[in-house]
Amino acid sequence: VPDHHGKAALAVVAADDTVVPALAVVSLALSCAREGIRVLLADLTAGSAAGRLLGCTEPGVHWHAAGQRQLTVVVQEDPSIPLIGPIARGSSASAPLSVDPEIDHAYHAADLLLTLVSVDPGLGADHLSSWTRDAVMILTAGKPSATRVRTLAELVRLSGARLRSAVVVGADRADDSLGVLTFDAEPDEQARPEQVRPRRDGRVGRPNG
């Protein structure tokens, strides 16, 4: 989690399903809170998957969430209206902060800001840089189209946030998205290397269509 001016912050962008990203963010938040790190978790997704996991179903700021004194949760009221975060945008000290003073207070009291967000291409992601400077995208193998992934990535970049990495959930062993594909050689393949490539290509072709 990158540190920005003494405050660690990271956004997790859910490209499709929000359940797995919510589980990951909540797990990290609880782990840090139990270690004594003051955590502010902002759930900016429709349905508030992370908030529900922590028992925070109503919009607003929830202090001591899930019985953890070090954990505060923000649940946005209307997903169609992007919620402005507490990080000043631009170099000016007078840059506008969150419209909610309680969110500002929670941010300044925290050591770590985690944000779970889903980006609507129709609304854009301009508000993302008010929550973080760095983001990671989580997508499910086979769900979002390549066009949607590229669009979301570009919207994150245009917001001013840096897309640090991406996590593919549900990839099978034949996935070659990273350009690296390995298989454990079978005994007969070790004895007859000239047949390895055709058989291996056949197995790759089936899962990938």
Side-chain angles (χ1 to χ4, degrees), residues 147-158:
T147 300
R148 177 175 174 79
V149 172
R150 285 193 295 267
T151 299
L152 295 181
E154 187 62 21
L155 288 173
V156 171
R157 295 189 185 99
L158 288 174

Side-chain angles (χ1 to χ4, degrees), residues 12-27 41-53 76 79 115-120 137-140 143-144 148 152 169:
V12 174
V13 180
D16 43 86
D17 180 56
T18 60
V19 175
V20 172
L23 288 169
V25 172
V26 168
S27 177
L41 190 161
D43 189 342
L44 308 183
T45 62
S48 307
R52 291 201 313 271
L53 287 172
Q76 71 174 356
T115 305
L116 177 64
V117 59
S118 53
V119 176
D120 184 343
M137 185 181 296
I138 297 183
L139 57 149
T140 307
K143 278 194 175 182
R148 177 175 174 79
L152 295 181
V169 178

Side-chain angles (χ1 to χ4, degrees), residues 159-184:
S159 75
R162 290 166 292 193
L163 189 58
R164 291 286 189 173
S165 182
V167 179
V168 179
V169 178
D172 60 31
R173 67 193 300 267
D175 189 285
D176 58 357
S177 301
L178 301 180
V180 179
L181 186 63
T182 59
F183 287 98
D184 295 328

Side-chain angles (χ1 to χ4, degrees), residues 62-92:
H62 302 263
W63 300 86
H64 305 164
Q68 299 293 323
R69 291 184 57 82
Q70 306 289 0
L71 177 60
T72 303
V73 175
V74 174
V75 177
Q76 71 174 356
E77 183 173 357
D78 186 352
S80 65
I81 303 176
L83 183 63
I84 302 301
I87 298 178
R89 292 183 284 184
S91 57
S92 173

